[in-house]
Amino acid sequence: MTMSENQRNLEAGLLLNKNRNDINECRITVVVLFSTFVSVCGSFCFGCAAGYSSVAQAGITKDLGLSVAQYSMFGSIMTFGAMFGAIFSGKVSDLIGRKGTMWFAQIFCIAGWLAIAFAKDTIWLDAGRFSTGFAVGLFSYVIPVYIAEITPKHVRGAFVFANQLMQSCGLSLYYVIGNFVHWRNLALIGLIPCVLQVVTLFFIPESPRLLGKWGLEKECTASLQLLRGEDADVSEEANTIKETMILFNEGPKSRVMDLFQRRYAPSLVIGVGLMLLQQLSGSSGIMFYVGSVFDKGGFPSSIGSMILAVIMIPKAILGLILVEKMGRRPLLLASTSGMCLCSLFLAFSFSFRSYGMLDELTPIFTCIGVVGFISSFAVGMGGLPWIIMSEIFPMNVKVSAGTLVTLANWSFSWIVAFAYNFMIEWNASGTFLIFFSICAGGIVFIYAMVPETKGRTLEDIQASLTDFLQ
């Protein structure tokens, strides 16, 4: 056999291995689909909890005699609980695993719904809402991270976006049934997805990247084999994980202060910046108290909630499709632009109403503005910051970074959710002008800072950002 023939055979072998690896990377197995579904049951719980405060407001304030301040505390204390959940989310998920963290979170979620369902006063209401929020804080970190770590790179964005889709499903369900079901029964219905996740978690694998971080090489390979298929060659992916973990383990152990090193600055600015934009745009306030916004604009809140329920799921599905078609960055820009325009539209609408102008059109303008804002949010800004957060931080700082970013999200969510009712009473037009200004600034921030991560491995994304300033 000649030298040229040997070279051709070698090249053919390398090409065959490359094609085989490409096929493995493109494969979406039943295990990946089922594992994603099980994890996003927690996202559905989050959506139910977020929608509950809007549709239950009239019933709870009437039955228990709550003031505006007391109900604002009840609505916002979920985000306060999520702040505490966020503080522990990274450490807990590394200590007991991604699956263990979801089980742990459901203890608080189930206890919270039961406390709300049987509450006799504001103490039990607030305690239940806080407990549910603590679970949400854990979910908001562990779910996108788990999905990002188990899915192939070419569909990672779409699968992580299922987190936002299921949140929208939970919101839509409660926006619909909340018009007909008593608030106590509504809380009991919230237990169904909790129990479903608790049971199905027994049947999904642990994250292979976490197992690799723990030094469990055999378990890591077995988890990858289960996720990629029995006949798949996972050796290259397993070796990449192993090499990455060796590199990180050789370095110093991660501390929170390590995040403020120059090499992690781009990732930290992007992660925290997107979370602040997501919350300061007013999303939490509008979704938690959407009924009061419709009432303020003279539009029937029950009809408005039904319209939102019909619109939100198709919009979230559209986002799930577009995240891998358009990419993260263009979809973020489009979503934030839509929120910006709708905030400006609502500001003008309420301004005209305050001067007695276009009174007969204000209810319709309010409906268009609210539906447009929440739809734009559901398409991109609702889920994409969590996708990007799960992609941009290396494993050696992911715990500290994820904790800090999630804490920032829920801290500002609590501020917005608590202040929202008071801001609307103060000046509805001015409130939405503030949200418009923040969204406009967000467009500039995304354009200048946020990179495209579609179709890239986690290791490649993290390496490029770490080397960005070097």
Side-chain angles (χ1 to χ4, degrees):
M1 187 177 289
T2 64
M3 183 72 69
S4 60
E5 287 176 339
N6 285 331
Q7 187 173 358
R8 282 197 297 270
N9 290 336
L10 179 60
E11 290 174 351
L14 292 172
L15 182 61
L16 183 62
N17 288 331
K18 181 181 184 298
N19 290 337
R20 187 181 294 117
N21 289 331
D22 289 344
I23 291 171
N24 290 337
E25 288 180 354
C26 294
R27 178 181 296 180
I28 304 172
T29 63
V30 174
V31 177
V32 170
L33 290 168
F34 182 69
S35 300
T36 302
F37 168 76
V38 171
S39 61
V40 295
C41 284
S43 308
F44 190 86
C45 297
F46 175 19
C48 293
Y52 182 82
S53 59
S54 176
V55 294
Q57 184 169 0
I60 291 177
T61 52
K62 179 182 177 182
D63 292 351
L64 300 182
L66 271 62
S67 64
V68 172
Q70 287 175 317
Y71 197 81
S72 292
M73 176 58 72
F74 169 73
S76 65
I77 203 170
M78 185 187 90
T79 56
F80 192 67
M83 286 170 51
F84 285 89
I87 292 171
F88 299 103
S89 60
K91 286 291 184 184
V92 170
S93 65
D94 258 22
L95 184 65
I96 64 176
R98 314 305 191 214
K99 288 172 58 179
T101 303
M102 287 185 260
W103 266 317
F104 183 62
Q106 285 298 359
I107 295 173
F108 293 92
C109 201
I110 291 170
W113 281 123
L114 289 173
I116 293 170
F118 298 103
K120 299 297 182 183
D121 53 36
T122 56
I123 294 176
W124 281 101
L125 273 178
D126 291 346
R129 187 78 168 163
F130 180 90
S131 181
T132 305
F134 186 85
V136 166
L138 293 171
F139 282 140
S140 59
Y141 171 80
V142 73
I143 292 173
V145 167
Y146 175 75
I147 297 173
E149 290 176 348
I150 66 168
T151 48
K153 65 181 181 182
H154 75 290
V155 293
R156 186 178 61 242
F159 272 66
V160 178
F161 203 89
N163 177 40
Q164 174 63 24
L165 174 61
M166 291 302 283
Q167 287 179 29
S168 297
C169 289
L171 271 168
S172 296
L173 176 67
Y174 268 50
Y175 281 165
V176 172
I177 66 176
N179 293 314
F180 314 107
V181 180
H182 190 268
W183 61 272
R184 293 189 187 275
N185 294 330
L186 202 59
L188 292 174
I189 291 172
L191 294 171
I192 296 174
C194 300
V195 174
L196 178 63
Q197 186 178 52
V198 167
V199 174
T200 52
L201 276 169
F202 285 101
F203 305 103
I204 66 173
E206 183 54 271
S207 161
R209 282 178 170 81
L210 182 65
L211 293 171
K213 184 178 182 181
W214 285 347
L216 304 174
E217 293 181 21
K218 290 183 179 179
E219 290 81 356
C220 173
T221 303
S223 177
L224 276 174
Q225 198 72 65
L226 189 61
L227 289 163
R228 302 294 179 256
E230 291 183 3
D231 58 340
D233 181 7
V234 298
S235 57
E236 183 176 344
E237 189 173 2
N239 287 333
T240 301
I241 293 172
K242 180 182 176 181
E243 290 167 5
T244 305
M245 293 309 126
I246 290 174
L247 180 65
F248 290 147
N249 289 333
E250 286 176 350
K253 296 299 179 183
S254 169
R255 296 173 301 170
V256 173
M257 294 308 297
D258 293 341
L259 286 173
F260 299 97
Q261 295 176 16
R262 190 168 179 263
R263 61 191 307 224
Y264 299 126
S267 299
L268 191 63
V269 170
I270 292 165
V272 174
L274 286 177
M275 293 302 180
L276 297 190
L277 175 59
Q278 185 189 67
Q279 295 303 333
L280 293 179
S281 63
S283 58
S284 290
I286 293 176
M287 285 193 295
F288 284 11
Y289 309 110
V290 69
S292 64
V293 181
F294 283 128
D295 291 337
K296 189 77 174 176
F299 193 86
S301 59
S302 59
I303 298 175
S305 297
M306 294 287 284
I307 293 172
L308 281 175
V310 171
I311 293 293
M312 281 191 68
I313 295 178
K315 285 291 185 181
I317 293 173
L318 179 63
L320 187 147
I321 295 169
L322 292 178
V323 71
E324 293 297 348
K325 297 288 185 182
M326 289 178 61
R328 281 60 151 166
R329 180 182 157 92
L331 193 55
L332 266 177
L333 287 169
S335 175
T336 309
S337 298
M339 293 162 63
C340 185
L341 292 174
C342 290
S343 295
L344 185 62
F345 188 75
L346 284 167
F348 281 129
S349 176
F350 285 118
S351 180
F352 289 144
R353 185 177 178 84
S354 65
Y355 289 108
M357 302 167 59
L358 304 176
D359 276 350
E360 66 282 358
L361 294 178
T362 301
I364 297 176
F365 288 165
T366 301
C367 180
I368 293 171
V370 170
V371 171
F373 182 96
I374 294 182
S375 297
S376 298
F377 179 81
V379 167
M381 184 51 70
L384 285 173
W386 297 106
I387 294 176
I388 293 170
M389 182 273 290
S390 70
E391 295 175 329
I392 60 176
F393 292 109
M395 284 296 291
N396 65 319
V397 294
K398 184 168 278 190
V399 172
S400 302
T403 299
L404 180 63
V405 169
T406 309
L407 177 62
N409 180 282
W410 289 113
S411 299
F412 282 87
S413 178
W414 174 68
I415 292 170
V416 173
F418 182 75
Y420 187 80
N421 277 332
F422 298 106
M423 291 174 69
I424 287 291
E425 291 297 323
W426 160 69
N427 190 319
S429 178
T431 298
F432 284 101
L433 275 177
I434 292 172
F435 295 153
F436 160 75
S437 301
I438 292 170
C439 289
I443 294 171
V444 176
F445 171 79
I446 293 167
Y447 183 81
M449 289 294 300
V450 179
E452 182 55 72
T453 61
K454 183 186 76 169
R456 300 167 67 187
T457 65
L458 297 180
E459 289 75 18
D460 176 43
I461 296 165
Q462 294 151 11
S464 65
L465 285 171
T466 299
D467 296 336
F468 181 72
L469 293 178
Q470 297 184 359

